[in-house]
Amino acid sequence: MDPDRRGVGGAGDAGVGRHPRGILKLLIGAATLVLLWWLWRRSLAAALVSPPRARTATVKAGKIGWFGRMPTGGTGATWARALTYWLHDPRYLRQLLVVPIFPVLMLFYSGGDVRSPMFAYSAVLVAFVLSIVSYADVSYDGTAFATVLATGVRGRQDRAGRLLAAAGLGVPLTIVIAIVTVGLSTQWSLLVPVLGASLGLLLTGYGVCAISSASIVQPVPAPGDSPFKRVPGASVVTALLMFLIWIGIAVLSLPSLIPAILAGVTGDAMWGFVALAAGLVLGVVFAIVGVLVGGRVFDRNAPALLAQLQSFKGA
């Protein structure tokens, strides 16, 4: 066996006599872990110590944040509101803070070897996790959801605005993680299949969640509370629903996942481009279908969702 392929990490390199190379890999892995841990602690501390209720800000006259930058109409207003939540609400930020942990987990399971295909495919796991963040995001509106209904925003507009906000952060973040992890692994031939599988999962998940979040609400921490607060009312059924949604996303994403895996196993670049094409095309199709179907479900279920949200108050 080629000695260059025998090591699975720093320990493997040391075992075959490549001590400088092994030490370098261990240092890179340790430095990556420490950096990500430090960034996560800093972000988490800021989110928990400085909740929105305790902060004030001076806004210039005529400045309305994202609402002044997005298109007018129901879709644009929902897009701006949802993006504001994603960037300022600790309950949403919590979902983004854990993202850097997954490449570290993949590095750990690959024995600390940054050249491992498992590490190179970290973005697929990140996309899988991000894809389900919004599966019940109407819950975070709370009783303020009544204001959404009072404005007359239609279901398709609400679904499209929320999806665009989530994708505006999730897609760039997934692409960056894919480029960084594949770059660290030095296996650039895997970038195309990794992007195909990751974006396919992410967009498909957004489409599925556009339907599920028009049907499901659950008890969540109130605005300003710790995002990790345990809320009474959550049940095993809620966890089971999330698990079933994850299974549905995975099954719908198989046309991009299977070619991506084949690209890594066979080294055939053709499978990578098949994964990318399938991921982008089917992902966009599922996202559009999710907005259309979810819009109809939203219009039908909105009053019932509000009633259920009001029943959670003080639970």
Side-chain angles (χ1 to χ4, degrees):
M1 181 180 291
D2 184 353
D4 286 337
R5 303 296 297 172
R6 288 176 60 187
V8 294
D13 285 321
V16 294
R18 297 193 299 268
H19 297 288
R21 183 175 177 181
I23 293 173
L24 179 60
K25 284 185 178 181
L26 290 175
L27 288 176
I28 291 175
T32 301
L33 180 60
V34 171
L35 177 61
L36 292 175
W37 177 83
W38 179 79
L39 290 173
W40 179 75
R41 286 294 299 271
R42 284 287 300 272
S43 301
L44 182 60
L48 297 181
V49 175
S50 303
R53 289 177 179 173
R55 294 163 57 183
T56 58
T58 302
V59 180
K60 295 181 179 179
K63 299 293 184 179
I64 52 176
W66 289 105
F67 290 93
R69 304 172 191 172
M70 298 304 178
T72 57
T75 299
T78 304
W79 187 357
R81 179 171 60 84
L83 192 56
T84 301
Y85 287 169
W86 274 103
L87 294 175
H88 298 284
D89 191 329
R91 299 172 301 172
Y92 281 84
L93 288 173
R94 178 190 65 175
Q95 317 297 336
L96 300 178
L97 292 177
V98 299
V99 166
I101 300 298
F102 296 107
V104 176
L105 288 177
M106 292 297 98
L107 185 63
F108 173 78
Y109 285 118
S110 62
D113 185 10
V114 294
R115 296 182 63 188
S116 166
M118 184 180 293
F119 178 70
Y121 277 81
S122 296
V124 178
L125 179 59
V126 169
F128 196 38
V129 173
L130 287 178
S131 68
I132 202 172
V133 168
S134 58
Y135 88 103
D137 69 344
V138 169
S139 304
Y140 291 111
D141 288 352
T143 53
F145 184 60
T147 304
V148 175
L149 301 187
T151 61
V153 173
R154 303 298 300 166
R156 291 183 183 180
Q157 296 172 324
D158 181 88
R159 303 292 88 194
R162 292 177 190 262
L163 188 150
L164 288 170
L169 294 174
V171 170
L173 183 58
T174 300
I175 292 175
V176 168
I177 290 178
I179 293 174
V180 170
T181 53
V182 171
L184 288 175
S185 73
T186 69
Q187 301 185 71
W188 288 107
S189 61
L190 295 179
L191 181 59
V192 172
V194 167
L195 285 174
S198 302
L199 295 177
L201 266 172
L202 192 64
L203 295 174
T204 299
Y206 287 154
V208 172
C209 289
I211 300 174
S212 69
S213 63
S215 310
I216 302 170
V217 291
Q218 63 185 40
V220 296
D225 287 344
S226 167
F228 298 99
K229 178 181 178 180
R230 188 175 183 83
V231 180
S235 64
V236 176
V237 175
T238 300
L240 179 61
L241 283 172
M242 185 169 68
F243 180 70
L244 291 176
I245 292 171
W246 246 337
I247 292 178
I249 294 171
V251 170
L252 292 175
S253 301
L254 286 178
S256 61
L257 289 174
I258 293 176
I261 294 172
L262 290 174
V265 172
T266 66
D268 190 340
M270 178 197 71
W271 289 115
F273 288 103
V274 170
L276 182 62
L280 291 178
V281 173
L282 292 179
V284 170
V285 169
F286 287 137
I288 293 174
V289 170
V291 169
L292 297 178
V293 175
R296 290 198 294 270
V297 175
F298 180 92
D299 289 335
R300 183 175 66 249
N301 289 352
L305 293 178
L306 176 59
Q308 199 169 355
L309 287 170
Q310 290 174 331
S311 71
F312 292 153
K313 186 175 181 181

